[in-house]
Amino acid sequence: MESPPPIAPLPSEVTTPDGFHSGFVALIGRPNVGKSTLLNQLVGQKVAITSPVAQTTRNRLRAILTTATAQLVLLDTPGIHKPHHLLGQRLVQSARGAIGEVDLVLLLVDASQPAGRGDAFIVELLRQARAPVHVALNKSDCMAAEQAEALIASYRALMPEWPLHLCSALSGEGCPDLVSALGAELPPGPHLYPPDAVSDQPEQLLLAELIREQVLHHTREEVPHSVAVRIERIVEDDTGKAPRTAVLATVLVERSSQKGILIGKGGQMLRTIGQGARLQMQKVFDGPVYLELFVKVVPGWRSHPGRLAELGYRGD
Ligand code: GDP
Ligand code: MG
């Protein structure tokens, strides 16, 4: 069976410029300080739900921001507050978990109010973090000019050791400088996601797992343990006779011998894997799917388990 041409160029061969930085940034702060709003502002589109009612964010969400010099993978966390009930405890645990896994912490505060006891609680928590901490003094648009100095001073006194950035998640004021500062603080590293990605959709994880499942079905021994799947693109294609969903994915392996096994004689193995995954995906989308798989050797991709777990990659 002849396969149709690719829908869009694959971004998997992205070349990362020298001096590029990348990593994970946890957005930490009390409920309602504007974490989700900032995420959407930075990424340039809506990826997080925001609400004037506290605690709409119950799960961690990843948003991706790529500039010419850095890629930031931002984790929106449920707001930290002193836990009064079980859900509160869970939310705090989740935010604490994020602090331990990231390269950088961005503490967001509502700077239209003076620093208070709730802020002191978080500051104590973050002083135990291994990662560097930056602070966004958000809601600068709500600061009366004559109060600004005193408000900033109250935060400076509470956290003298961390860089402070004045910004408004709502208007975008101060955000470009914030992004530059955060990018420069991340460790040197390659693109972790395609440059045009904005969010790590659960749908993508599901599709990746469907492909990995077929790899587990059809290969033996060391191959399944060395495989990760990255969904590069999901495109609604209505250019042909019947609309279909095109999925472009890369299967990462550690060695070229594994690549050989996955592709198989004359490409037979990759076709079998692709066919099986495509049938499953058609159930997900409830319609025709065109799946294009690439295999790429990335030596030692498994050696950063924390980072890979965040990417949704699993080695087992
Ligand atoms: P989260 O709980 O920290 O995620 O906070 P949200 O992003 O859901 O925002 C809580 C409320 O604050 C919403 O009504 C936002 O519109 C508002 N908000 C967020 N950032 C700003 C800002 O920079 N300025 C102003 N005036 N309001 C903001
Ligand atoms: Mg939120």
Side-chain angles (χ1 to χ4, degrees):
M1 197 172 63
E2 204 178 309
S3 65
I7 301 305
L10 256 192
S12 62
E13 298 307 325
V14 169
T15 47
T16 298
D18 283 346
F20 200 77
H21 296 246
S22 65
F24 293 91
V25 183
L27 243 60
I28 302 288
R30 296 162 69 189
N32 254 11
V33 293
K35 297 181 295 297
S36 300
T37 307
L38 183 67
L39 208 73
N40 293 336
Q41 173 68 246
L42 295 185
V43 168
Q45 73 185 63
K46 193 167 177 65
V47 291
I49 50 168
T50 64
S51 151
V53 180
Q55 308 206 354
T56 37
T57 309
R58 289 204 171 160
N59 295 305
R60 286 203 241 150
L61 178 129
R62 262 163 241 141
I64 301 141
L65 170 60
T66 308
T67 69
T69 54
Q71 185 171 65
L72 289 69
V73 184
L74 299 143
L75 311 183
D76 187 12
T77 62
I80 294 190
H81 57 119
K82 286 191 180 177
H84 294 300
H85 53 82
L86 188 62
L87 175 64
Q89 284 175 17
R90 296 251 161 82
L91 296 177
V92 171
Q93 273 166 11
S94 164
R96 278 188 164 146
I99 296 166
E101 292 164 17
V102 294
D103 301 295
L104 179 61
V105 172
L106 179 61
L107 169 59
L108 208 65
V109 298
D110 178 351
S112 66
Q113 308 290 324
R117 280 199 296 167
D119 298 299
F121 174 75
I122 300 182
V123 167
E124 280 317 307
L125 209 91
L126 291 185
R127 287 211 167 106
Q128 299 154 29
R130 163 194 64 78
V133 177
H134 280 236
V135 184
L137 303 179
N138 191 35
K139 308 201 184 184
S140 63
D141 58 297
C142 292
M143 289 166 95
E146 65 277 12
Q147 292 172 356
E149 213 167 296
L151 288 168
I152 295 168
S154 73
Y155 287 95
R156 166 70 54 217
L158 186 63
M159 36 195 134
E161 72 268 51
W162 298 327
L164 306 181
H165 310 275
L166 198 59
C167 68
S168 166
L170 208 59
S171 74
E173 189 191 6
C175 291
D177 287 347
L178 175 65
V179 169
S180 309
L182 297 179
E185 188 77 77
L186 288 174
H191 288 87
L192 303 170
Y193 288 88
D196 57 354
V198 292
S199 157
D200 185 339
Q201 304 291 339
E203 180 176 77
Q204 297 203 356
L205 283 186
L206 170 64
L207 298 181
E209 287 298 276
L210 292 177
I211 295 168
R212 212 169 61 85
E213 181 181 58
Q214 294 299 314
V215 173
L216 299 182
H217 271 303
H218 295 289
T219 63
R220 301 270 169 279
E221 292 168 17
E222 25 94 52
V223 176
H225 299 282
S226 301
V227 162
V229 177
R230 190 167 68 198
I231 302 296
E232 309 285 3
R233 229 167 239 274
I234 304 169
V235 185
E236 293 306 324
D237 173 28
D238 47 17
T239 55
K241 272 177 284 192
R244 60 181 185 169
T245 305
V247 178
L248 309 182
T250 305
V251 181
L252 307 181
V253 292
E254 290 187 296
R255 287 194 290 278
S256 55
S257 61
Q258 295 161 345
K259 179 174 178 174
I261 294 170
L262 265 190
I263 291 175
K265 221 175 181 178
Q268 186 54 47
M269 176 62 89
L270 197 61
R271 270 199 297 279
T272 303
I273 290 168
Q275 177 71 358
R278 193 172 66 82
L279 293 175
Q280 294 299 316
M281 289 178 183
Q282 299 198 145
K283 290 184 198 158
V284 172
F285 289 106
D286 198 24
V289 169
Y290 163 60
L291 172 63
E292 183 147 352
L293 289 180
F294 290 80
V295 183
K296 188 174 172 180
V297 181
V298 180
W301 70 258
R302 281 196 296 171
S303 57
H304 299 288
R307 174 161 290 183
L308 289 162
E310 285 299 345
L311 285 165
Y313 295 170
R314 298 206 197 105
D316 57 6

